[in-house]
Amino acid sequence: MYIYQKSASNYFADMTNSLDERLVTLEEFIIQAQNRFPGATGELSQLLRDIGLASKIISREVNKAGITNILGNDGTTNIHGEAVKRLDLFADEQLISALERSQITCMVISEENDGIVRLRSQGGKYIVYLDPLDGSSNIDVNVSIGSIFSIYMREPRYEPTVKEEDALQPGVRQVAAGYVLYGSSTTLAYTTGLGVSLFTLDPSIGEYILTKRKITIPTKGTIYSINEGSYNSWDLGLKKYIKYCQEEHAETKRPYSARYIGSMVADIHRTLIKGGIFIYPHSKRYPKGKLRLMYECNPLSFIIEQAGGKATNGERRIMEIEPLAIHERTPIYIGSPENVDRVMEFLYEYQEQAV
Ligand code: P6P
């Protein structure tokens, strides 16, 4: 990563300047990025293309789900006791089979599988975490849902069989991460640690087209995003912060706006574009928070940090948390740097025993 970082500035400046204004597809963009690193093997590029392909297939099914009767529960529950929707399983299968084909991934950890999924390519050098279809409770009501991915190098590299412990790496060790948002259009955002690029799927040609290079989050926003139904179980500092958001602010002469979609990918994408803050705190129901560290919070924190934002669990940077379990949960405060700093000030000022 150091080599990448050392050349990050001229690499991105070079790319930004050299790409002409014709349509740039995801495949072209990935190859052009890879070609700037003579040492690159092309494997990470292939992995990103695999995920892009699988997401196109998922997008097609999501966009016609009501017609093909793929909606509704399949009668099982995932490790968290949540009802699994058939589209979840379809997305999980598509992503895992795409990763199997390229044989550079040795293991997948997914929200839809209780344990690790060892792939046939045990020599593969990447480990991939997936939330195949985040926000699935919104599938039946036509609200945006998303896929989230987080990519690590396997450590140790040369053991014959990969183990669950090999996947317990802090978010700062991600080599790439991103999401696909199945909304009014299908949008893919990813980072390899050199900024965030945004692509929109053109279904008429089946290609993701580059729509934003090196996207940056507003340093401060006027939107706060939290499920206020759990207000009574919040820490005092969080209650005071939300009341602060609801006051008239000097710079805008009005309170902040509340927006909460209930699909983390959609709420984070809006935060990336418009600024503000998304919060899922710990509570009586979720003493460690509801959202999963490894396949929701770490990848989305990587994206937001690469765009200039911040992400914390209320005490420390999300991406510095040393994971103890592949499905562990964490509270998360994520978004524009000034908004995250401000909520931390309230939490610190009114800190009390955890709920
Ligand atoms: P709540 C969706 O089920 C999810 O995992 C995230 O996408 C979303 O941000 C959160 O849970 C919503 O949880 O408790 O507000 O319904």
Side-chain angles (χ1 to χ4, degrees):
M1 186 65 94
Y2 171 72
I3 295 169
Y4 281 7
Q5 296 299 354
K6 200 165 62 171
S7 54
S9 53
N10 54 42
Y11 143 83
F12 243 96
D14 171 39
M15 169 177 281
T16 305
N17 298 331
S18 65
L19 286 177
D20 59 31
E21 289 316 309
R22 65 176 171 73
L23 291 182
V24 178
T25 66
L26 173 64
E27 279 67 19
E28 287 171 325
F29 187 85
I30 291 173
I31 293 296
Q32 288 180 15
Q34 171 198 313
N35 290 343
R36 282 167 174 70
F37 293 90
T41 63
E43 290 174 313
L44 181 58
S45 299
Q46 179 59 53
L47 210 168
L48 292 168
R49 287 201 301 272
D50 293 341
I51 291 171
L53 173 63
S55 71
K56 292 179 194 175
I57 297 168
I58 296 165
S59 173
R60 184 191 63 199
E61 291 308 310
V62 166
N63 288 322
K64 65 178 186 182
I67 301 164
T68 57
N69 188 30
I70 202 166
L71 294 178
N73 297 341
D74 75 345
T76 63
T77 57
N78 66 19
I79 187 171
H80 314 297
E82 296 162 341
V84 175
K85 303 267 182 182
R86 281 199 294 270
L87 213 46
D88 276 340
L89 291 180
F90 177 82
D92 194 47
E93 288 156 11
Q94 289 303 317
L95 285 160
I96 291 178
S97 61
L99 295 171
E100 276 278 19
R101 277 195 297 275
S102 54
Q103 304 204 352
I104 46 183
T105 302
C106 59
M107 171 165 64
V108 169
I109 294 101
S110 157
E111 183 188 43
E112 302 312 328
N113 300 277
D114 296 354
I116 61 173
V117 178
R118 284 195 185 89
L119 302 189
R120 285 191 298 274
S121 49
Q122 274 304 289
K125 70 182 186 183
Y126 293 107
I127 293 170
V128 179
Y129 280 91
L130 295 170
D131 187 349
L133 213 55
D134 170 75
S136 49
S137 56
N138 287 308
I139 291 175
D140 299 338
V141 293
N142 200 23
V143 168
S144 300
I145 52 184
S147 301
I148 312 172
F149 60 91
S150 172
I151 302 169
Y152 291 83
M153 298 292 281
R154 73 179 291 181
E155 295 295 349
R157 298 260 171 104
Y158 306 109
E159 296 281 315
T161 306
V162 68
K163 306 180 299 299
E164 182 168 318
E165 304 81 80
D166 301 343
L168 294 176
Q169 302 181 38
V172 289
R173 301 260 293 274
Q174 294 174 98
V175 293
Y179 61 80
V180 182
L181 179 60
Y182 311 103
S184 50
S185 64
T186 295
T187 302
L188 182 145
Y190 86 91
T191 183
T192 59
L194 300 168
V196 179
S197 308
L198 219 50
F199 300 82
T200 302
L201 182 63
D202 179 343
S204 67
I205 57 173
E207 292 283 5
Y208 279 109
I209 303 301
L210 178 67
T211 44
K212 189 87 176 167
R213 302 179 188 109
K214 218 163 165 42
I215 193 168
T216 52
I217 188 171
T219 52
K220 183 177 182 181
T222 58
I223 297 171
Y224 72 95
S225 183
I226 188 170
N227 183 340
E228 299 199 43
S230 53
Y231 176 86
N232 290 333
S233 71
W234 294 345
D235 289 343
L236 180 59
L238 180 55
K239 291 179 177 177
K240 293 285 188 182
Y241 174 71
I242 297 300
K243 290 302 172 197
Y244 159 80
C245 292
Q246 294 166 348
E247 291 163 359
E248 187 171 294
H249 292 262
E251 64 267 35
T252 60
K253 303 286 184 284
R254 51 175 296 188
Y256 287 1
S257 296
R259 295 284 184 275
Y260 192 72
I261 300 169
S263 277
M264 188 181 189
V265 174
D267 281 316
I268 296 297
H269 184 67
R270 181 203 57 248
T271 304
L272 174 66
I273 305 297
K274 292 183 177 285
I277 189 165
F278 172 85
I279 299 170
Y280 207 110
H282 66 71
S283 65
K284 287 190 182 70
R285 183 179 178 197
Y286 296 111
K288 295 189 182 303
K290 175 185 183 185
L291 301 175
R292 293 75 164 186
L293 171 64
M294 300 307 289
Y295 44 80
E296 289 176 324
C297 296
N298 267 331
L300 297 179
S301 297
F302 194 12
I303 290 280
I304 291 293
E305 285 199 5
Q306 281 290 306
K310 287 189 173 182
T312 169
N313 67 353
E315 294 167 359
R316 60 182 309 190
R317 193 177 162 212
I318 289 283
M319 294 205 320
E320 288 176 351
I321 297 172
E322 289 288 349
L324 301 175
I326 54 176
H327 294 293
E328 76 179 64
R329 300 172 189 262
T330 178
I332 186 166
Y333 302 77
I334 181 172
S336 298
E338 289 190 28
N339 297 78
V340 173
D341 289 345
R342 194 78 179 96
V343 69
M344 288 303 112
E345 289 168 8
F346 277 84
L347 293 181
Y348 185 76
E349 182 180 347
Y350 295 95
Q351 64 184 347
E352 59 184 0
Q353 292 309 311
V355 168

